[in-house]
Amino acid sequence: VKFLPLNSAEKLDRVDMKRQLRRNRILHTILRQGPISKYDLSKVLRCTPPSVGETVDDLEHQGHVRRAGLGPSAGGRRPVLYELVPPSAHALGIDFGRSHTALILADLSTHVVARAEGPTLKDATTEELTRHVRDRVDDLLSQVPGSRETLRGIGLGVPGLIDEPRGLPLARDTRFRQLRHSIEDDLGVPTFLENDARTMALAELWFGKGHSRRDFIALNLGHGIGMGIIIAGQPLHGSLGHTGEIGHLRVAFPGEPCTCGSSGCLETVASGWALAKRAAEIARREPDSALARLAREWGEEPSARLVVEAAKRGDEQARALLAEAGVQIGRALAAAVNLLNPEVVIVGGRLSHAGALIFDPLERTLRESILPALRDETAIELSDLREEAGPLGASALVFQEIFEADASELRHFI
Ligand SMILES: [Zn+2]
C-alpha cells in the first residue's frame, strides 16, 4: 500500500486514473460487503467481470486482499470469496467534545486498535492546543508499534460551523485551522476537518447502524442539536457546508433567544442547554424538588445529565422535561424526514442516553407527524456507538477520502 502525494496525481493519465478509481471502489466494496466473489463485485460496481477479476488478482498479488473460502453455488462451481487483509493501514480520529478530547486509531477494516483521551482545552491558545493534541497523538501511536508508518490520515471532528467555500473546509474557530496545518506538517499525512454532527453521521455509515444503508439521517442530541445527512452513501454538504442545522429550525414565535442569534429555535426548547436552563429554573423556584436536591447532592448547577439522572430515578418533573423535548424534536424531525425520505433515522448523542424517556415520545410524535405513506417505511433507531461516535466519525473522514476519491478530485490513493 503506497500513499501518493498530490503532485503525483497530476502525472497520472486518464487510463491510470480510471484504473485507480476502480481499484478504490473494489477495495471499498470488499471492505463494506466482503467476503464477496468477483462476480458479485462486478454486479455491485456495474463493471465487466474480466476488468474486476484482473484488478482483484492484482490486489491479491500485492497483498491487499486474500481468499476467504468459497461462497454458495449458483448452479455451477462455488465462487472464491475475497476479503481485505487487515491492517494494511491506519486512520486516526480526534473528536473535540465539550469536556473531553477523544482519540481513536482504527485499521482499514474499521476495527479500533487503540484509544486515548484528554481534557478539551477551551481557552487555550493555538500553540497550547497544538502541543496538547500532538502529545495525545504521540501517546496513541506509541500504543501500536508501526502505526506511525502505516498512518494514512487524520480526521478532526470539531464543534461549530465549518465553512466550505469551493469544497474546502475551514473551521470558524481559527485555532483548528492552525492545528490542522501543524499536524499535517509534523506527521506528513493528510488531515481532514469536519463539523461534529457530520462526523457522527459518518461514524454510523462506517461503524454503526448506517453500515448497510444508503440514505439516512443521524441526529445528534447533545448540548446542541445537530444532524448529519447521508444521501446515496455520501454526506450532504450544501453550498456553504451548513446542512443539517435542524437545531435552528424555528419552532416557537417569537420564542426565547438562541445561541445562533435568532430566537425560538428547536435548541431553545429541546437541547441539552435548554434542559439545563429549565431544570435550573425549577430548582430555584422549588428548593425541595428532586432536581434541586440532586443538584445539591452533586454540588453543581443542574445540567442535562442531571435531568436524565433525576428522570431515571423516577422524578416526574425531569421526566416531563425529557418527554416535552422528545415531542418538540419529533415534530422538527418530521419535516426532515418528509423532505429527505431516509431509510432510517439514527438517534445518538449524550441526551439519547436517556433512552425511552426521550426516544419514545420522539418516535411517537415523528410517526404521527410524517407523511402517512412513510409512517411504516421509516425506521427510527437509537445509535449504539455511544461516546465513541465522535472519534470514530473523525477517523471515518480518512476512510471517506481513501475510498471515495473520484477521478475529478483524485487526491489520495492506497
Ligand atoms: Zn438558533
Side-chain angles (χ1 to χ4, degrees), residues 349-364:
R350 285 187 157 272
L351 217 50
S352 73
H353 300 177
L357 291 168
I358 194 161
F359 186 77
D360 287 356
L362 187 159
E363 178 176 15
R364 201 178 324 112

Side-chain angles (χ1 to χ4, degrees), residues 247-248 258-262 265 267:
H248 302 288
C258 181
T259 53
C260 70
S262 181
C265 299
E267 280 199 5

Side-chain angles (χ1 to χ4, degrees), residues 260-304:
C260 70
S262 181
S263 64
C265 299
L266 179 63
E267 280 199 5
T268 66
V269 297
S271 65
W273 67 260
L275 283 174
K277 195 172 151 198
R278 298 259 191 294
E281 283 160 11
I282 292 173
R284 220 174 11 250
R285 211 169 51 226
E286 304 169 39
D288 286 333
S289 62
L291 286 165
R293 277 182 280 126
L294 191 58
R296 285 197 293 275
E297 187 187 318
W298 285 11
E300 57 181 57
E301 280 293 297
S303 58

Side-chain angles (χ1 to χ4, degrees), residues 47-80:
C47 289
T48 60
S51 69
V52 168
E54 191 188 318
T55 311
V56 171
D57 289 343
D58 283 351
L59 287 167
E60 187 185 9
H61 182 69
Q62 291 157 3
H64 301 320
V65 304
R66 65 185 175 201
R67 287 161 195 249
L70 299 174
S73 165
R77 244 179 335 145
R78 293 176 62 195
V80 176

